[in-house]
């Protein structure tokens, strides 16, 4: 439990600044408290503002890592928006999550299972199930299923990361939690999303 850092990956645009910054700091602070990490929000906010001041790009992906003692690193790279007509091919992950695993609720540098499943799939994203055959999340995104005017997304009890875009959609009443099974997604499109990519239309491969 000592050999990892916490991560937040943020979107910054010249027009709107940092997207979902309150949600990112809320999640980071909650994980830091639960896992015993030093967390100085004003210091981290100042560091984030400093890295975007000289930015030549209009749109940046920013990766913030926080070590247990409070040290941080920030990396910045330009990122293009995903075209509105994009349709991701989503494969089913071979390995299962345990709904009782508490670390699934924290975004850390321990991401081997996510990256290995995504790499071996050959798809744009993968969909993880838990031991009860409930849909959980993607390797890099939360999952959303359209139901009328609402988006349904799995509850944290299924075993998944509380994404920042997910948190905003729930708070705005545009999404609600519900237990979802694989058959709910068959032969229909759905959305995979996070704060950098937004909502991207997807189908099971």
């Amino acid at each position: 439990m000592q050999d990892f850092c916490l991560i937040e990956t943020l979107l910054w645009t010249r027009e709107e600044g940092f997207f979902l910054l309150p949600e990112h700091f809320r999640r980071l602070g909650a994980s830091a408290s639960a896992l015993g990490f030093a967390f100085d929000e004003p210091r981290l906010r100042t560091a984030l503002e400093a890295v975007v001041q000289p930015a030549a790009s209009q749109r940046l992906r920013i990766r913030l890592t926080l070590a247990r003692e409070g040290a941080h690193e920030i990396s910045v790279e330009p990122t293009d928006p995903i075209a509105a007509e994009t349709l991701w091919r989503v494969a089913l992950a071979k390995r299962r999550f345990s709904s009782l695993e508490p670390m699934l609720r924290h975004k850390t540098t321990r991401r081997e299972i996510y990256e290995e499943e995504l790499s071996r799939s050959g798809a744009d994203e993968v969909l993880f199930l838990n031991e009860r055959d409930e849909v959980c999340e993607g390797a890099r995104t939360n999952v959303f299923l359209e139901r009328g005017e609402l988006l349904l997304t799995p509850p944290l009890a299924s075993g998944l990361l509380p994404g920042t875009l997910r948190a905003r959609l729930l708070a705005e009443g545009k999404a609600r939690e519900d237990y979802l099974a694989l058959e709910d997604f068959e032969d229909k499109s759905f959305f995979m999303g996070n704060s950098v990519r937004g909502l991207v239309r997807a189908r099971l491969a």
Side-chain angles (χ1 to χ4, degrees), residues 36-70:
F37 279 61
F39 176 62
D40 186 339
E41 182 174 334
R43 178 167 170 261
L44 294 176
R45 284 181 177 269
T46 299
L48 286 172
E49 292 292 347
V51 299
V52 300
Q53 291 306 317
S57 176
Q58 296 293 316
R59 183 183 174 93
L60 298 173
R61 176 184 181 273
I62 299 172
R63 186 176 188 266
L64 167 67
T65 60
L66 179 67
R68 184 173 297 276
E69 72 280 3

Side-chain angles (χ1 to χ4, degrees), residues 13-151:
T13 62
R14 189 170 299 281
E15 295 78 14
E16 299 183 8
F18 288 99
F19 181 50
L20 300 179
L21 189 60
E23 285 83 357
H24 280 288
F25 272 116
R26 192 175 300 119
R27 181 173 68 181
L28 183 60
S31 291
S33 177
L35 301 175
F37 279 61
F39 176 62
D40 186 339
E41 182 174 334
R43 178 167 170 261
L44 294 176
R45 284 181 177 269
T46 299
L48 286 172
E49 292 292 347
V51 299
V52 300
Q53 291 306 317
S57 176
Q58 296 293 316
R59 183 183 174 93
L60 298 173
R61 176 184 181 273
I62 299 172
R63 186 176 188 266
L64 167 67
T65 60
L66 179 67
R68 184 173 297 276
E69 72 280 3
H72 69 271
E73 293 184 1
I74 301 175
S75 61
V76 178
E77 63 181 15
T79 184
D80 294 324
I82 293 179
E85 66 273 15
T86 298
L87 181 66
W88 276 354
R89 293 174 57 255
V90 178
L92 190 63
K94 295 184 181 299
R95 285 178 284 185
R96 298 289 186 107
F97 284 167
S98 167
S99 62
L100 300 179
E101 172 51 67
M103 289 301 292
L104 290 173
R105 300 192 182 192
H106 306 287
K107 189 171 184 180
T108 77
T109 50
R110 289 181 172 175
R111 302 201 53 79
E112 292 82 4
I113 184 174
Y114 303 98
E115 298 306 324
E116 288 170 5
E117 288 289 339
L118 183 57
S119 177
R120 78 170 56 157
S121 73
D124 299 302
E125 247 290 19
V126 292
L127 195 61
F128 286 92
L129 305 181
N130 66 17
E131 78 283 2
R132 299 190 297 262
D133 291 328
E134 296 166 355
V135 168
C136 298
E137 63 179 343
R140 298 174 180 172
T141 58
N142 287 119
V143 60
F144 304 89
L145 180 66
E146 287 181 289
R147 188 69 57 81
E149 296 183 355
L150 275 177
L151 296 173

